Amino acid sequence: MSTYSLSDGIATDAARSGSRSRDLLDRLWHAGPGIAAAIAWVAFGLSCLLWEDLGDWSRTHSLGIGAFVIAALAFFGTLSADFLGKAGTALRQRAPWLLVLGLLLTLWEVATAKFAWLPLPFFPPPQAIIEVYTDDLPKLLDSVFASVKLQLGGYVIGAAVGFLTGVSIGWSRSVGYWVHPVLRFIGPLPATAWLPIAFFAFPSSWSASTFLIALATAFPVTVLTWSGVASVSNAYYDVARTLGAGPSFLVLKVAIPAALPHVFVGLFMGLGSSFAVLVVAEMIGVKAGLGWYLQWAQGWAAYANMYAALIVMSLLCSGAITLLFKVRDRLLVWQKGVVKW
Amino acid sequence: MVVQAVVELISYRSVGATLDIESVSHSFDIDGVELPVLDDISLSVEPGEFVALLGPSGCGKSTLLRLIAGLDRPSSGSLREDDIRIKGPRPSRVVVFQDPTLFPWRSVWDNVALGLEAQGILKSQRQRVDAALDLVGLTAFRNAYPHQLSGGMAQRVALARALVNDPKVLVLDEPLGKLDSLTRITMQAEISALWQRKRFTTLLVTHDAEEALFLANRVIVLSDRPARIKADIAVERPYPRHRGDPYLSDLRKQILGLLGLDATW
């Protein structure tokens, strides 16, 4: 009797401790990337503070402290992820990225500011870029504002013109007869090829750039809207007509909604090509905006400013595309299986 | 409120229209070659009659329906609805096609509302949409999108979209052709019940002799292309009908014989 109970006790004890250690392993497995990320950011902070800078940068110390703060947030956030709800799961999902980012920053810091493995003026350290954001902020913000204004104006005009042209070509044979050859002749020409003409034909460099951005946007939007309207199944028109629909209903409530998925592809492509025109136009003609800032920074060999502006530019472009996709997802909820951005 | 709307919809006297088809011929122009599809079709349909057009696949049945719907004009001959020449589509003559062709960007409710919206009377007549959805039993799916529906449900929505207009003539172009056999049997009974209640003039194109005999007062048998009327058979049996009725079986045998399919019987 007693032996049985003894062995039973041992067995269950072993099982319990086994499950407990498995539990711990499980937790470590989940928290592992977060803790590793914290360590990587500590390493980044240490790499900032341990050695003397080779150049003269004023933000090295603050950057190091900032890295420790992020490391602490990652560490405690990971450990208490279960109690943080959505933020906790988000942190857990992004922990591997945080880890890689910390490692890359450490490498960048060491390779530039500390040992200059990469030639110095051309490859500024992270603290130099932070310095740009803090010390040159007003100029950078002005540039952002100018770029957004120019881009938005040109894009909206181009998208509206492209959409209307596309619907008209797709709907009306006689409009198609006149517009189609013009579109074929002018459309494929890169909008930047118009730069020299545009800058003397328009009263200001700003209006010339707006025109070019609109042109770059309008071509893909026109072609895709047109193909969208042209590919609407005749069955939809038949149904609407037997139900008493007139021509305006057929255009507004049948052709256009059916073509919208195509239109958004056109808007997306137009956004991409208009970014290219924006930057070139700002570099060559307009004396404002991020493209101009890049050019100006290069002229002064202010490489940190160039990288800083590039990062901002990338965030803006990506943000614009994200916004476009959000609008599309809202308008096209009825579609299934669409690409996520 | 919905119940009241249904009562209103049912009590609304929708007496069907007369259809007169007079020596209609039609041909298509395919790469310069003239292809005749309808050859001198004459047919007169009484108000409230249920006529089935039966013929081999590709014989031109659907073309005849498109002419009746006013979607195409005949090469020669004339079609009249209540003695008025058919010149274009009108919501009093609604078609339910083989594919439900629901608008994928509209919810079920908005799809059913299409006709009233196109005629600009939706604002004052919203209850008719609710009633039509109730009639086909899809009130619970009013906010669903077409891609979320099964084939049978989609075809029911298409039926509701037609019925909401209170048609005088309902044109059914093989509406059950793509459904599975069980859904098909259910929907045949539903269509029959709807027609008995409202008595709109109904034209059904089908290549299923049993379906034609189960539903119609009259079965018109068409020949191969170009379609001519081979036989005009009255089905004198009260509703609701039974599929196993020996009278219907005899007629079916006769019809299959006309279509040259005796051997398979």
Side-chain angles (χ1 to χ4, degrees):
Chain A
M1 265 310 238
S2 65
T3 40
Y4 277 128
S5 65
L6 188 65
S7 65
D8 274 1
I10 290 167
T12 51
D13 231 34
R16 199 177 303 144
S17 79
S19 85
R20 198 179 300 149
S21 66
R22 202 172 304 136
D23 221 41
L24 197 69
L25 265 176
D26 221 41
R27 279 202 172 175
L28 264 177
W29 176 252
H30 277 299
I35 292 167
I39 294 169
W41 280 83
V42 167
F44 176 44
L46 287 176
S47 74
C48 288
L49 303 179
L50 272 186
W51 297 283
E52 277 298 309
D53 279 344
L54 292 177
D56 179 24
W57 297 293
S58 57
R59 305 287 167 195
T60 313
H61 190 71
S62 344
L63 184 63
I65 304 292
F68 288 139
V69 171
I70 292 177
L73 284 176
F75 184 72
F76 291 111
T78 305
L79 288 188
S80 54
D82 292 336
F83 311 101
L84 291 175
K86 260 192 181 166
T89 29
L91 179 65
R92 232 172 225 175
Q93 271 178 356
R94 288 166 181 72
W97 259 110
L98 205 61
L99 165 65
V100 171
L101 215 59
L103 292 177
L104 283 177
L105 283 170
T106 311
L107 194 68
W108 181 10
E109 177 69 29
V110 173
T112 54
K114 306 304 179 185
F115 298 104
W117 296 330
L118 294 168
L120 244 185
F122 308 106
F123 296 95
Q127 53 264 45
I129 288 169
I130 300 283
E131 205 175 321
V132 173
Y133 288 135
T134 52
D135 296 4
D136 206 19
L137 190 64
K139 201 182 205 166
L140 208 52
L141 280 182
D142 279 351
S143 301
V144 168
F145 183 70
S147 283
V148 169
K149 202 172 101 183
L150 186 59
Q151 167 71 23
L152 205 63
Y155 185 70
V156 168
I157 294 172
V161 169
F163 178 74
L164 291 176
T165 317
V167 171
S168 319
I169 306 176
W171 190 255
S172 155
R173 219 168 266 249
S174 55
V175 173
Y177 175 81
W178 290 107
V179 177
H180 185 206
V182 178
L183 193 71
R184 279 182 70 165
F185 185 64
I186 291 176
L189 204 61
T192 40
W194 291 86
L195 262 168
I197 300 174
F199 276 115
F200 72 72
F202 278 83
S204 66
S205 59
W206 186 80
S207 56
S209 311
T210 303
F211 166 74
L212 291 176
I213 292 168
L215 196 67
T217 309
F219 177 58
V221 174
T222 305
V223 171
L224 276 139
T225 306
W226 168 27
S227 88
V229 170
S231 67
V232 177
S233 158
N234 269 327
Y236 289 141
Y237 295 128
D238 283 348
V239 165
R241 281 171 64 209
T242 58
L243 294 172
S248 70
F249 189 92
L250 292 182
V251 177
L252 297 175
K253 300 280 176 108
V254 183
I256 289 177
L260 267 192
H262 283 84
V263 174
F264 271 98
V265 177
L267 286 171
F268 171 68
M269 287 166 60
L271 200 56
S273 53
S274 68
F275 286 150
V277 177
L278 171 76
V279 174
V280 175
E282 283 177 343
M283 282 181 168
I284 293 180
V286 191
K287 292 276 167 281
L290 284 169
W292 168 79
Y293 188 96
L294 272 177
Q295 187 89 337
W296 168 86
Q298 197 217 7
W300 287 97
Y303 296 103
N305 296 54
M306 277 178 55
Y307 289 103
L310 265 181
I311 292 172
V312 172
M313 207 183 264
S314 143
L315 288 177
L316 281 178
C317 294
S318 172
I321 289 175
T322 306
L323 198 68
L324 183 71
F325 273 66
K326 283 257 189 291
V327 172
R328 184 199 65 169
D329 289 347
R330 167 95 18 129
L331 277 175
L332 303 184
V333 278
W334 49 272
Q335 268 196 316
K336 51 176 182 177
V338 288
V339 183
K340 293 275 174 246
W341 166 252
Chain B
M1 205 190 107
V2 175
V3 175
Q4 192 197 343
V6 174
V7 171
E8 267 176 32
L9 194 78
I10 292 168
S11 61
Y12 184 88
R13 283 266 144 240
S14 172
V15 181
T18 320
L19 271 182
D20 287 303
I21 300 169
E22 257 177 33
S23 49
V24 162
S25 296
H26 195 68
S27 51
F28 289 125
D29 184 33
I30 294 174
D31 294 331
V33 182
E34 201 179 329
L35 181 75
V37 275
L38 298 176
D39 181 17
D40 195 27
I41 303 265
S42 289
L43 179 67
S44 172
V45 182
E46 296 298 311
E49 228 179 350
F50 196 131
V51 175
L53 298 168
L54 193 69
S57 152
C59 76
K61 302 172 297 229
S62 296
T63 307
L64 184 57
L65 284 201
R66 287 181 67 84
L67 298 181
I68 293 167
L71 289 169
D72 293 319
R73 306 287 291 275
S75 305
S76 70
S78 77
L79 298 103
R80 286 196 307 271
E81 176 195 9
D82 278 341
D83 280 331
I84 299 165
R85 202 178 173 122
I86 294 173
K87 284 184 179 158
R90 276 190 56 187
S92 66
R93 275 175 272 120
V94 193
V95 192
V96 177
F97 294 95
Q98 183 173 19
D99 287 310
T101 41
L102 301 179
F103 290 10
W105 57 90
R106 284 172 166 249
S107 68
V108 164
W109 196 94
D110 287 332
N111 262 292
V112 176
L114 203 66
L116 302 182
E117 192 182 331
Q119 296 155 50
I121 51 172
L122 179 62
K123 265 198 182 139
S124 56
Q125 313 262 318
R126 297 177 67 87
Q127 79 281 1
R128 280 169 68 180
V129 180
D130 298 327
L133 269 179
D134 198 52
L135 207 60
V136 296
L138 283 176
T139 305
F141 288 87
R142 47 184 296 146
N143 293 323
Y145 280 99
H147 72 80
Q148 298 166 309
L149 304 178
S150 72
M153 278 151 80
Q155 201 54 277
R156 274 203 187 89
V157 176
L159 199 60
R161 179 176 64 185
L163 294 176
V164 77
N165 300 289
D166 278 328
K168 289 182 171 172
V169 179
L170 184 64
V171 179
L172 303 169
D173 187 1
E174 290 187 49
L176 311 180
K178 285 190 175 170
L179 301 181
D180 65 274
S181 55
L182 292 178
T183 314
R184 200 167 159 149
I185 288 170
T186 320
M187 286 202 61
Q188 284 169 357
E190 282 175 22
I191 288 174
S192 184
L194 267 171
W195 169 74
Q196 285 164 55
R197 208 153 58 187
K198 307 186 66 166
R199 294 280 167 172
F200 28 67
T201 306
T202 306
L203 279 140
L204 168 76
V205 156
T206 180
H207 49 232
D208 180 351
E210 195 185 285
E211 180 172 285
L213 289 167
F214 181 70
L215 291 169
N217 302 124
R218 254 169 96 189
V219 178
I220 310 284
V221 183
L222 297 168
S223 70
D224 257 327
R225 198 181 55 233
R228 266 171 290 103
I229 293 181
K230 255 190 171 173
D232 185 341
I233 299 164
V235 187
E236 283 155 353
R237 260 313 196 239
Y239 297 89
R241 290 177 179 165
H242 300 283
R243 289 168 206 276
D245 190 334
Y247 173 84
L248 296 183
S249 305
D250 281 351
L251 276 182
R252 180 162 179 249
K253 190 177 175 186
Q254 191 188 329
I255 288 169
L256 289 178
L258 282 166
L259 293 170
L261 296 169
D262 332 47
T264 61
W265 184 243

